Amino acid sequence: MEEKNGIIKCAPSEIETESFRIIQDELFEKRIPLDEKTKQIVLRVIHATADFDFAENILFSENVVEAFRCALLKHPAIVTDTNMALAGVNQSALKKLSLCAHCFMSDSDVALEAKNRNTTRAFVSVEKAFKLFASPVIVCGNAPTALLSLCSLLDNGFLPSAVIACPVGFVNVIEAKEKVTEKLLAKQIPFVVTRGRKGGSTVAAAICNAFLYLCGGRDAD
């Protein structure tokens, strides 16, 4: 790797490593420390977004890495709230860990039921996830109504294996995150939540991939 005329020249395999080095250098300059246990998750989110706010606004449940590892080793279904988030999840890592990821947002039955009930497809798609799978991992990066649906399901005894909750936007986003966080804490379900308005499908996929890599899926790239 070398630098010439302000351009860093490095092999494709070195780009991510160099990106992480730059991120960590800038965090050091900003005097923002990272918890070693969750460091790789935060770095991957910043790498995906170039947004250093995530260094301070991600909320983790207690012992989150080990808890997610235990959850994923039971081979639960992973269900995302958007096809964009689904597309961002590393398929090779999923395969290596014998996991499957799904999104039901485009399913015709979901669309019809959402229309009939005057609600969102995201709300219904989370319900469908629990009809098909006992304890799915819920990965939400876009729709706060997916979290509101999850809250209702939690109240009725349905328990996900783990939750990634980082919808982005302005309407009910903060409220949905706060509500689901309270319920997940009460039921001791492992979670990652991005506080405030920030998040997105890219963030959700980055967090999901971080856990897959920490569980041994990394060398599947």
Side-chain angles (χ1 to χ4, degrees):
M1 184 165 53
E2 61 178 319
E3 184 173 339
K4 185 176 181 181
N5 298 325
I7 301 297
I8 297 174
K9 293 185 177 182
C10 57
S13 60
E14 298 175 322
I15 293 175
E16 182 177 279
T17 300
E18 178 63 9
S19 296
F20 274 48
R21 183 194 67 76
I22 293 171
I23 293 168
Q24 292 183 86
D25 285 351
E26 291 196 24
L27 286 170
F28 180 79
E29 292 173 4
K30 297 174 187 290
R31 298 183 179 181
I32 301 174
L34 295 181
D35 187 321
E36 284 297 321
K37 294 180 180 179
T38 56
K39 179 178 179 179
Q40 292 303 313
I41 300 165
V42 177
L43 290 177
R44 193 156 293 283
V45 171
I46 296 174
H47 179 247
T49 62
D51 188 341
F52 282 83
D53 285 353
F54 286 109
E56 299 180 294
N57 87 336
I58 302 179
L59 177 65
F60 298 99
S61 59
E62 188 175 359
N63 300 318
V64 68
V65 173
E66 185 58 31
F68 260 81
R69 180 182 288 113
C70 290
L72 291 175
L73 290 178
K74 295 178 182 178
H75 306 294
I78 297 173
V79 179
T80 69
D81 69 328
T82 63
N83 283 302
M84 183 180 295
L86 178 63
V89 176
N90 188 305
Q91 296 297 310
S92 296
L94 287 172
K95 183 176 180 180
K96 185 180 181 188
L97 296 171
S98 300
L99 294 167
C100 293
H102 312 266
C103 180
F104 304 121
M105 284 286 284
S106 298
D107 290 7
S108 58
D109 59 328
V110 168
L112 179 60
E113 185 170 352
K115 182 178 180 180
N116 290 339
R117 292 167 56 185
N118 192 30
T119 188
T120 67
R121 288 180 296 158
F123 194 100
V124 176
S125 68
V126 173
E127 292 179 337
K128 181 172 181 176
F130 282 88
K131 290 177 182 177
L132 295 177
F133 310 112
S135 298
V137 173
I138 300 297
V139 180
C140 176
N142 189 71
T145 52
L147 295 186
L148 296 177
S149 178
L150 178 59
C151 287
S152 178
L153 289 161
L154 286 165
D155 287 341
N156 285 284
F158 293 92
L159 300 177
S161 292
V163 175
I164 296 171
C166 47
V168 60
F170 299 93
V171 179
N172 293 328
V173 171
I174 296 174
E175 295 81 2
K177 289 177 181 179
E178 291 177 347
K179 186 174 181 180
V180 80
T181 298
E182 180 181 352
K183 293 182 182 297
L184 293 172
L185 279 169
K187 295 182 180 293
Q188 298 183 320
I189 296 169
F191 65 81
V192 180
V193 176
T194 56
R195 298 185 183 95
R197 293 171 171 172
K198 290 189 176 183
S201 296
T202 299
V203 174
I207 295 171
C208 187
N209 286 336
F211 283 117
L212 294 177
Y213 300 155
L214 288 168
C215 287
R218 182 55 181 161
D219 63 356
D221 289 345

